[in-house]
Amino acid sequence: MNQQECTELLEHHGIKPTANRIVIVKALAQAGRPLTLTELEYLILSIDKSGVFRTLSLFRNHHLVHVIEDGNGGVRYELCHSRSDSEDDDLHVHFFCQQCHRTYCLEETAVPLVEIPEGFRMSSVNYIVKGICAHCKDSEV
């Protein structure tokens, strides 16, 4: 993602495109997978932890990132490919590898329809499959 694309994405979600916000969007886009706050900090040494966290919170409030429970007690952040600033319309399944502890997006796998009881209102879905990823499986001998 280039700077212009990042700027347009931020503006589309009602977020003022500052230099730090553009850096964080680029890092999330380049990662190609959900990242922890610590992983983002490591990738972006020019922004302190509190700055990254505040920006991620802002992004979440504007539906620019998904917050995913990673299956190992932590959370990860992923750039939302939705073009809506009011809802997440790109929900997909995630896969947590129990060996390398990476979380993968299975973007072609839709979240299965979940019927909820009358009177309940769903606001989000977090669907994660746990197992061994293809890379770890291939490295087993």
Side-chain angles (χ1 to χ4, degrees):
M1 230 180 185
N2 64 36
Q3 185 154 341
Q4 182 62 33
E5 291 170 323
C6 291
T7 299
E8 289 172 5
L9 184 62
L10 287 164
E11 289 174 343
H12 180 79
H13 284 268
I15 301 169
K16 182 180 177 183
T18 65
N20 284 354
R21 292 172 184 168
I22 290 169
V23 166
I24 293 171
V25 167
K26 280 185 181 180
L28 287 168
Q30 289 172 348
R33 65 180 184 87
L35 299 174
T36 64
L37 179 59
T38 302
E39 289 171 327
L40 265 172
E41 283 179 78
Y42 183 76
L43 291 173
I44 308 169
L45 299 174
S46 61
I47 306 172
D48 67 16
K49 182 178 185 170
S50 63
V52 173
F53 183 77
R54 282 192 310 273
T55 300
L56 290 172
S57 295
L58 175 70
F59 287 1
R60 182 180 187 184
N61 291 338
H62 286 266
H63 300 278
L64 182 58
V65 294
H66 295 296
V67 178
I68 301 154
E69 296 167 19
D70 71 2
N72 199 31
V75 296
R76 293 177 180 266
Y77 301 87
E78 120 180 91
L79 199 58
C80 182
H81 300 288
S82 170
R83 287 309 210 179
S84 173
D85 63 351
S86 61
E87 65 181 348
D88 299 334
D89 61 7
D90 70 336
L91 295 176
H92 53 272
V93 173
H94 294 90
F95 185 92
F96 176 76
C97 179
Q98 293 171 308
Q99 188 166 326
C100 67
H101 299 148
R102 293 184 87 182
T103 300
Y104 297 87
C105 296
L106 305 180
E107 293 182 14
E108 301 303 318
T109 306
V111 172
L113 178 63
V114 176
E115 296 288 335
I116 57 173
E118 188 174 326
F120 290 80
R121 187 178 80 187
M122 185 176 358
S123 62
S124 68
V125 175
N126 186 6
Y127 198 87
I128 190 153
V129 177
K130 294 180 182 182
I132 305 297
C133 70
H135 176 75
C136 290
K137 184 180 175 291
D138 290 345
S139 64
E140 292 179 341
V141 178

